[in-house]
Each structure stands twice: as C-alpha cells, then as structure tokens.
Amino acid sequence: MVWWLLVILALCTAISLWLRIKYYRKNITEVASQSSPLSMAIQGLITTAGGIYLALIGLTSFLKLDIPDKVTILQVNLDPLALSSIGAAIVQPLFLRLFNKFLSR
C-alpha cells in the first residue's frame, strides 16, 4: 500500500514536470545558451511551491491556526505546510491545463 502511494506521487510529479517542459519548449525562441527545459521546469516547480508555502505560513500565522509541527508519513517526519505546498505545485499545471481547455470551448 505504501509503495503505491510513492508510485502515484512519482507519477504525478513526472506528469507535472512533463507539462512544464512542454510549456517551456513551446515558448523558447532563442538558440543562444539557455537553461534546459527540464531545469526550467524544476525551477518553476520549486518557485511555485515556495510561493505557496510562504502564503500558507502567512495565512496560518494571521489566522492563528494550530497546525502540527510534523506529520509522520512512511516513518518520515514532514512539515504539513511544505507537503501541501509541494502537492499543490505538482497538480497546478494539471488544473491550469483543464481550466484552459474549458475556457477555449
């Protein structure tokens, strides 16, 4: 059961990175020395997750919410806000693609 969760997480991350690479490949116009689409996709994923993380920290401190410091998943202690922010950053391109498909109809 635990391995299926890891496989699903890895698959979702791979799909998210693939969609980001596809976006960056479509928008690259210069042939000059640039970062690869994979490095730009990973950078976009990390910066999006960091922005969501900062917003969640600001929201929880403003609302004075009691959130546990650590959550244990698969015998690994994780920060719940960081886990939710990286999860939101992973699914963000999927929702954006669906949203754009519905708007174009």
Side-chain angles (χ1 to χ4, degrees), residues 7 11-12 18 22 26 40 47 60 67 69 77 84 91 95 105:
V7 169
L11 184 64
C12 288
W18 176 74
K22 189 175 174 182
K26 188 172 79 172
M40 290 191 305
T47 55
T60 55
I67 295 180
D69 292 335
N77 291 329
S84 60
V91 299
F95 284 127
R105 289 184 182 191

Side-chain angles (χ1 to χ4, degrees), residues 44 48 57 59 63 94 99 105:
T48 302
I57 286 179
L59 183 67
L63 296 176
L94 303 173
F99 184 72
R105 289 184 182 191

Side-chain angles (χ1 to χ4, degrees), residues 18-72:
W18 176 74
L19 288 173
R20 290 173 191 268
I21 289 171
K22 189 175 174 182
Y23 170 77
Y24 287 124
R25 278 189 181 160
K26 188 172 79 172
N27 292 330
I28 290 177
T29 57
E30 297 179 14
V31 182
S33 176
Q34 292 184 358
S35 300
S36 70
L38 178 63
S39 67
M40 290 191 305
I42 291 172
Q43 180 184 5
L45 178 69
I46 298 302
T47 55
T48 302
I52 294 170
Y53 181 73
L54 290 175
L56 287 175
I57 286 179
L59 183 67
T60 55
S61 66
F62 178 74
L63 296 176
K64 295 185 181 10
L65 297 175
D66 290 328
I67 295 180
D69 292 335
K70 299 288 179 193
V71 174
T72 304

